[in-house]
Amino acid sequence: MKPLEEVWKDLEKYLNVENALEEGFSNGKYTEVLAQYAKHVTAIDVSEDFLAIAKNNLKEYNNIDLILMDARYLSFSDKSFDVLLNTSFHEFDLSGDEYQVDLNLKKEILEEMIRVSNTIIFVEPTENAVTNELFKVFNPNENHSDRIYQSNQLIGNVMRENGYELVEYGLTYHKDQFSSIEELEEEMLSWWADIKVPQNEKEKRDMIKKIDQILNDAHMLEDLQVTEEISYRVWRRK
Ligand SMILES: C[S@@+](CC[C@H](N)C(=O)[O-])C[C@H]1O[C@@H](n2cnc3c(N)ncnc32)[C@H](O)[C@@H]1O
């Protein structure tokens, strides 16, 4: 299996365009990838905190516009973009006491995506990614594997109903290498700090213990490498 960095190169024929849109830029990690291919990137997110972080991370780029905008209500005209990139966008309100998947919300977002671009690329951890288990440390009610499964079923249905075909798909992975166990644990604690931050030392130790157990069971603790299985899908209107 090729790492994600190599898969981007394989997808370059879809990414080398005039105008690209990214939805859910968060810290700008994938906005940066897209900006190396597309002449101009518009990227949206609903979080003001992420806007400040991404602005700082991407300050060297002059071909990126970061905008606070809800993916349900895009203020762009029809077919404004040559490609739309969407990474890990199954996650809306993940903090609840009860596990819920709002497929109507997802459908509204997909309909807007279809309105603005004929090529749509989804890249996200799979149902088997270790992320799904780790998430339970932050909210035991969340069933991330099921959320990803349901969300992907809906994406497939909506895309096909609207005349899109899957022109490229596959599995890849992303690997984070850490230099110490402390660095790894701190990084894991920060991944879902928007869902839960430990309130005291005991809670922090308990969360770290669970994280270590999950990574140990997945054989990722011994060499301090956290590897996530990721899927990619390119949909194009026929
Ligand atoms: C799980 S993060 C994924 C971040 C990044 N794309 C990645 O893969 O690392 C989802 C992002 O989508 C944003 N988001 C959630 N709902 C949104 C909406 N309705 N419109 C735009 N952005 C949204 C969140 O603020 C968050 O930055």
Side-chain angles (χ1 to χ4, degrees):
M1 204 192 287
K2 286 184 191 174
L4 182 56
E5 301 81 74
E6 287 180 32
V7 169
W8 290 122
K9 288 186 207 129
D10 291 349
L11 299 181
E12 96 184 308
K13 59 177 176 288
Y14 306 106
L15 304 173
N16 270 334
V17 295
E18 287 290 320
N19 271 312
L21 174 66
E22 191 206 5
E23 295 195 352
F25 56 70
S26 79
N27 65 8
K29 176 170 71 172
Y30 294 120
T31 324
E32 185 168 11
V33 174
L34 195 51
Q36 284 156 29
Y37 295 95
K39 287 223 174 84
H40 188 265
V41 176
T42 304
I44 66 158
D45 202 293
V46 280
S47 158
E48 289 192 25
D49 291 346
F50 277 138
L51 178 64
I53 294 169
K55 264 193 180 157
N56 186 48
N57 289 346
L58 301 170
K59 57 180 182 285
E60 309 298 328
Y61 288 82
N62 56 15
N63 63 337
I64 299 175
D65 276 331
L66 298 172
I67 307 176
L68 270 187
M69 193 185 290
D70 189 326
R72 278 178 298 175
Y73 314 112
L74 299 179
S75 68
F76 308 118
S77 45
D78 295 0
K79 309 301 169 209
S80 315
F81 299 97
D82 307 302
V83 70
L84 190 164
L85 176 66
N86 195 211
T87 54
S88 297
F89 209 57
H90 304 298
E91 308 163 27
F92 299 106
D93 184 9
L94 306 182
S95 57
D97 294 337
E98 215 178 293
Y99 172 60
Q100 285 174 4
V101 186
D102 188 347
L103 289 179
N104 286 329
L105 167 62
K106 180 87 195 181
K107 193 157 184 256
E108 277 180 65
I109 289 175
L110 289 169
E111 281 164 358
E112 273 295 84
M113 287 182 179
I114 283 167
R115 187 176 67 71
V116 299
S117 184
N118 281 338
T119 304
I120 304 179
I121 305 180
F122 296 93
V123 176
E124 64 239 332
T126 70
E127 292 154 62
N128 308 318
V130 72
T131 324
N132 303 317
E133 273 310 299
L134 288 171
F135 200 96
K136 294 197 177 118
V137 176
F138 297 79
N139 181 359
N141 303 318
E142 169 65 8
N143 185 344
H144 226 53
S145 296
D146 178 69
R147 183 181 301 281
I148 291 173
Y149 174 77
Q150 291 203 49
S151 184
N152 281 335
Q153 292 290 109
L154 180 71
I155 291 174
N157 292 341
V158 172
M159 291 291 143
R160 279 185 210 95
E161 278 163 18
N162 284 278
Y164 285 70
E165 64 180 334
L166 193 56
V167 289
E168 204 105 41
Y169 65 96
L171 288 179
T172 171
Y173 65 91
H174 176 74
K175 193 182 281 184
D176 278 315
Q177 173 73 61
F178 298 93
S179 50
S180 68
I181 180 96
E182 292 78 18
E183 189 198 1
L184 179 152
E185 290 166 347
E186 285 299 329
E187 176 71 12
M188 292 299 113
L189 279 177
S190 75
W191 273 12
W192 292 286
D194 54 332
I195 305 295
K196 179 175 175 156
V197 175
Q199 295 303 303
N200 51 51
E201 269 310 305
K202 180 178 179 312
E203 191 168 38
K204 185 172 174 180
R205 276 198 309 278
D206 287 347
M207 287 172 77
I208 286 178
K209 202 170 155 195
K210 287 181 190 157
I211 290 169
D212 286 352
Q213 184 67 56
I214 291 166
L215 293 177
N216 192 42
D217 291 350
H219 307 291
M220 293 185 192
L221 205 56
E222 61 255 31
D223 46 8
L224 304 176
Q225 283 182 348
V226 178
T227 304
E228 284 199 279
E229 187 181 76
I230 291 177
S231 69
Y232 62 92
R233 293 182 177 85
V234 181
W235 292 90
R236 279 201 129 170
R237 203 189 280 269
K238 284 182 229 169

